[in-house]
Amino acid sequence: MAVDYIVIVVYLAGMLAMGWWGMRRAKSKSDFLVAGRRLGPAMYSGTMAAVVLGGASTIGGVGLGYQYGLSGAWLVFSIGFGLLALSVFFSARIARLKVYTVSEMLDLRYGGSAGMISGIVMWAYTLMLVVTSTIAYATIFDVLFDVPRWLAIVIGGAIVVAYSTLGGMWSITITDMVQFVVKTIGVLLILLPVAVVKAGGFSEMKAALPTSYFDPLGIGGETIFTYVLIYTFGMLIGQDIWQRVFTARTDKVARWGGTVSGVYCLVYAIGGAVIGTAAKVLYPKGLGEADEAFAQIVKDELPVGVRGLVLAAALAAVMSTSSGALIACATVANNDIWKRLRGVKPEAGAEGEHDEVKGNRLFILVLGIAAIVISIVLNNVVEALTVAYNLLVAGLLVPILGGLVWKRGTGTGALASVVVGGLTVLGLMWKYGILANEPVYYGLSASLVVYLVVSLATKPTDAAVLANWRERLAGRGAPEPDPAPVAVPQ
């Protein structure tokens, strides 16, 4: 596997080089956190697709195809649907706000009532995303180098932390664009056709497998509904996704570039499910775990060199999600939690007060190291991620979307919605189990009812707050200072 090793090492060295390049571009808070809000349509579309399609979409998507056939595409379909909905209905308004975090948006809309609590919920969610992505390195490096789990996590995590810390969003943007290209070539253009051919083509696959493998709803209606509820709605409100929206040069770039990314996700979903279905034909007696299907088919069916490229594609998928979640986690921790504890308004942070780039860089480094340590000691990452997603959807979906579409929503209603939704989902996870579907169903319902009732029962949001909100939605009001113009990526 010497050639495969060379391919991977060159790829990883390239990621670090991109981090060094990004450090030279990150001269202001805007550069470091949102790439100066300068991304054009091509760069925006590629990086958005990269951040939403991580290890769960690639390795996990193939695993679901191995278990359920074509209906295994529903997990990634749900991600694509969420990205399409965000791009078409909300991204233009989000981009015009010129904020850095979801909690800042809530502060603008409601007058600062729910920022700290929403920030804590969002921080927990993004931290778990970093952890689960970091753990995924163990699977890939085990196939490549046969190293211990802890060492694989340290190697992969250290590289992501290094380039993210150096250049912030500029580094992450450039590396994500490279990762998008590598994923497209490795997974869709190489592994997908090879897997189908090795399995004997679609006719042989249909003859060898039960008809349920080709039923679009074979995975089960309840599972599909849960995927849509968690992942589609999760795409609408996650800090890691919003922070990419903030990088768009204009609201049109955010809308149309995101739409292209959403369509790409739907294609990627089908590709992963077909690869998994082909793997079931090739390994009918079963594997240790369904998620091993991706690595197994790569290891057995691809030639030297090509195998390294496809494994680099899997590594790219994991790294793009991990780096996006890491900068989102650090941004929330610094801007929504630490600054509030110090009594500094999130938008106040004047460049003259202290080095904004230096402070955010330090948060990325510290939280990145913490994520690596947690990844080494944590075993049941599925449960940890489920808790994070349940809290995110049940606690924050209603006040965020309510603030965007309903002018009668109030800060008190938003705060009550976050608290009641969060406590309900935690209590029901204790009763039904962390992996049960009921907690998020009832938690989201409780959040909605409380938001409506409390908002209607309390004094409407101050007229001045709403006026400022409307100005920002229209793209006016408090634009941030920008550094000297630089070349604009397309």
Side-chain angles (χ1 to χ4, degrees):
M1 294 183 67
V3 176
D4 296 326
Y5 294 160
I6 292 172
V7 171
I8 297 296
V9 169
V10 168
Y11 169 76
L12 295 177
M15 295 300 99
L16 291 174
M18 295 297 178
W20 182 261
W21 178 89
M23 183 176 67
R24 300 174 62 187
R25 299 289 297 270
K27 302 300 184 182
S28 70
K29 178 181 178 181
S30 176
D31 283 334
F32 193 81
L33 295 183
V34 290
R37 307 188 196 273
R38 293 189 180 94
L39 298 193
M43 187 75 78
Y44 179 86
S45 298
T47 56
M48 179 63 88
V51 75
V52 300
L53 295 173
S57 302
T58 304
I59 298 172
V62 172
L64 288 171
Y66 183 83
Q67 279 184 286
Y68 301 105
L70 299 185
S71 65
W74 273 103
L75 186 148
V76 185
F77 270 157
S78 299
I79 293 172
F81 293 150
L83 187 52
L84 285 170
L86 174 70
S87 301
V88 173
F89 299 112
F90 301 109
S91 63
R93 281 181 283 178
I94 292 170
R96 288 195 292 263
L97 289 174
K98 301 294 183 185
V99 295
Y100 291 102
T101 69
V102 174
S103 293
E104 285 182 38
M105 169 264 170
L106 292 174
D107 278 348
L108 274 174
R109 171 60 182 81
Y110 297 114
S113 302
M116 174 66 86
I117 293 178
S118 65
I120 292 172
V121 173
M122 192 65 76
W123 175 79
Y125 157 74
T126 52
L127 180 62
M128 285 301 100
L129 277 186
V130 181
V131 169
T132 53
S133 299
T134 303
I135 289 174
Y137 299 131
T139 301
I140 301 169
F141 279 94
D142 179 57
V143 175
L144 285 171
F145 304 118
D146 192 26
V147 297
R149 176 181 179 274
W150 70 269
L151 183 57
I153 290 172
V154 169
I155 293 172
I159 292 170
V160 170
V161 171
Y163 73 68
S164 300
T165 301
L166 285 172
M169 188 59 84
W170 270 124
S171 295
I172 292 170
T173 295
I174 300 302
T175 54
D176 276 3
M177 196 62 197
V178 173
Q179 289 158 356
F180 168 75
V181 173
V182 171
K183 279 193 291 191
T184 301
I185 295 173
V187 176
L188 294 182
L189 301 184
I190 294 179
L191 185 58
L192 174 58
V194 167
V196 172
V197 170
K198 292 288 186 179
F202 286 104
S203 58
E204 180 62 29
M205 290 163 60
K206 286 184 177 181
L209 296 173
T211 56
S212 62
Y213 268 70
F214 302 92
D215 180 358
L217 304 179
I219 198 170
E222 185 176 358
T223 299
I224 294 171
F225 179 77
T226 302
Y227 282 162
V228 170
L229 184 64
I230 293 178
Y231 296 108
T232 298
F233 287 118
M235 286 294 107
L236 298 180
I237 58 175
Q239 170 68 26
D240 51 323
I241 311 303
W242 277 41
Q243 199 154 342
R244 294 312 174 98
V245 175
F246 301 151
T247 65
R249 185 198 307 156
T250 65
D251 54 3
K252 289 184 178 180
V253 169
R255 180 187 294 115
W256 294 111
T259 300
V260 172
S261 300
V263 172
Y264 178 88
C265 289
L266 302 182
V267 174
Y268 201 85
I270 296 171
V274 171
I275 293 169
T277 305
K280 186 64 176 179
V281 175
L282 294 171
Y283 309 107
K285 294 184 179 179
L287 301 170
E289 293 183 11
D291 284 350
E292 295 177 6
F294 180 92
Q296 196 67 45
I297 197 170
V298 170
K299 193 174 183 179
D300 294 346
E301 306 298 340
L302 295 181
V304 171
V306 175
R307 179 172 49 202
L309 177 61
V310 175
L311 286 173
L315 199 57
V318 176
M319 283 186 161
S320 57
T321 299
S322 181
S323 58
L326 178 57
I327 194 171
C329 183
T331 303
V332 170
N334 188 16
N335 288 267
D336 294 337
I337 300 176
W338 177 239
K339 283 186 176 181
R340 292 173 194 273
L341 291 174
R342 292 169 51 228
V344 178
K345 291 184 178 180
E347 291 188 286
E351 302 284 335
E353 276 185 32
H354 62 284
D355 188 343
E356 289 278 351
V357 174
K358 186 176 181 180
N360 283 291
R361 184 173 280 140
L362 179 62
F363 268 87
I364 290 179
L365 178 61
V366 171
L367 288 171
I369 294 172
I372 292 172
V373 173
I374 295 170
S375 300
I376 292 172
V377 301
L378 192 63
N379 289 321
N380 200 327
V381 294
V382 175
E383 291 192 355
L385 189 60
T386 300
V387 171
Y389 261 107
N390 283 353
L391 279 172
L392 177 72
V393 173
L396 294 182
L397 178 67
V398 170
I400 291 172
L401 295 189
L404 287 169
V405 303
W406 191 42
K407 66 180 181 180
R408 184 60 181 82
T410 67
T412 306
L415 181 59
S417 178
V418 174
V419 173
V420 171
L423 291 179
T424 300
V425 82
L426 287 174
L428 292 178
M429 281 191 291
W430 178 80
K431 178 180 178 181
Y432 291 104
I434 290 176
L435 299 179
N437 293 325
E438 289 86 353
V440 71
Y441 296 166
Y442 295 128
L444 184 58
S445 300
S447 177
L448 176 60
V449 170
V450 168
Y451 179 73
L452 295 173
V453 171
V454 175
S455 291
L456 292 172
T458 53
K459 184 180 178 181
T461 305
D462 185 84
V465 172
L466 285 178
N468 181 51
W469 168 254
R470 286 191 292 269
E471 286 289 302
R472 295 290 286 268
L473 277 180
R476 300 185 294 269
E480 60 184 299
D482 264 332
V486 296
V488 179
Q490 297 297 318

